[in-house]
Amino acid sequence: MAKVRAGFTLLTAFYLLCQRCPLIWANTLEFMEGQEVKQLINDEKYVVILLSDQKECSEKCGELEETLTSIREDVVEALNAWVVRTYAPELSVEYGLKDVNLDNAIVFVRSGVPLLYTGPVDNDELMLHFIVTNLESVIHTLNDDTFEHDTQASTGATTGDWLVMFTRSGCDTCNHMRATLEAVAAGLRGRKNVAVVDRDADGGQTTRRFGVKDFPSFVLFRLGRLYRYDLPLLDAPTLVAFATDGFRNARAEDIPHPKTPFDDLTEQIADWLRENPSIVSAVMYASIGLVAVIVVASVGFFKKSSAAKSEKKQESKKKK
């Protein structure tokens, strides 16, 4: 009887353990709602997310889930990370999945910074290596004070090649590029530097120096020359290919000297006028309206003056 009770106790304990940790033996990932995942990102240092295009996981999502599930225990053991699946369209937009034509994707969030996985779907070893070797962002932030010092773009380029993304405030595509740019930086790590220059934060002079008008824009600085990326695709593999060898198909340009304060101010005003046509139109119409009011008022004033003069002349004649 004692053995039976002991066996029953063990079975009960095993059942309760399975109830508390069902995913240890499951072949699927824990599913969380979007708000739960956002809270998890705020609370945890490492979160690996499978973003699916619907609540049910099938086809491409199923392949990603199978591979990610096979390495889940290794990821949890190595990083104490969460590995989950979610259907959250707002996160898919925030991480720019639609911009690179991805319906299902794996995003590794490190202290709030997203990194898009762009490797093979069915290679678990490569996926695991990608996650455990990219624990921090390697993207540089450059501004007007640090650009030349860090890149040495026009003085010899002894710090290596630099792929720079130029951004500005109010650019939604720029904001959604972060996960993709992190993937580019991971793909080029050890070979090229990847950086961001924000025109409206502290990189205005640098942005205007290189004649950047559209955002986001990518420019590769290499051996005292610059190469502009002008393809419509903004996915990580294409950008990595451009920085690695594709730049040879672009026109090489000499590094321009910094603009004089007057030239920089003139271009800054021109950029503002170009980017704010509605305000310019409103000011123009207001100016035309003001001129019209002044003209009408002047005409009325002159008419009254003429009438007053005529009345005075007539009164003078009557007195005579």
Side-chain angles (χ1 to χ4, degrees), residues 173-226:
T173 302
C174 302
N175 296 332
H176 299 160
M177 278 290 298
R178 185 58 192 258
T180 296
L181 190 64
E182 290 288 343
V184 173
L188 294 173
R189 189 178 59 176
R191 297 181 293 160
K192 314 275 183 179
N193 301 290
V194 177
V196 175
V197 172
D198 189 329
R199 185 196 68 178
D200 296 331
D202 46 18
Q205 293 178 9
T206 302
T207 303
R208 291 185 289 274
R209 172 187 176 186
F210 297 112
V212 175
K213 303 296 182 184
D214 300 317
F215 302 90
S217 282
F218 289 86
V219 180
L220 177 69
F221 296 89
R222 184 176 187 274
L223 301 176
R225 312 295 292 275
L226 67 84

Side-chain angles (χ1 to χ4, degrees), residues 115 130 294:
L115 166 63
F130 179 86
I294 293 174

Side-chain angles (χ1 to χ4, degrees), residues 125-165:
E125 291 186 2
L126 187 59
M127 185 182 292
L128 178 61
H129 181 267
F130 179 86
I131 291 173
V132 299
T133 58
N134 288 288
L135 302 183
E136 295 181 352
S137 173
V138 292
I139 295 176
H140 302 263
T141 299
L142 302 175
N143 55 43
D144 294 334
D145 295 327
T146 62
F147 182 87
E148 192 61 45
H149 176 270
D150 289 357
T151 66
Q152 299 184 15
S154 60
T155 59
T158 58
T159 59
D161 298 350
W162 289 77
L163 179 66
V164 180
M165 182 176 85

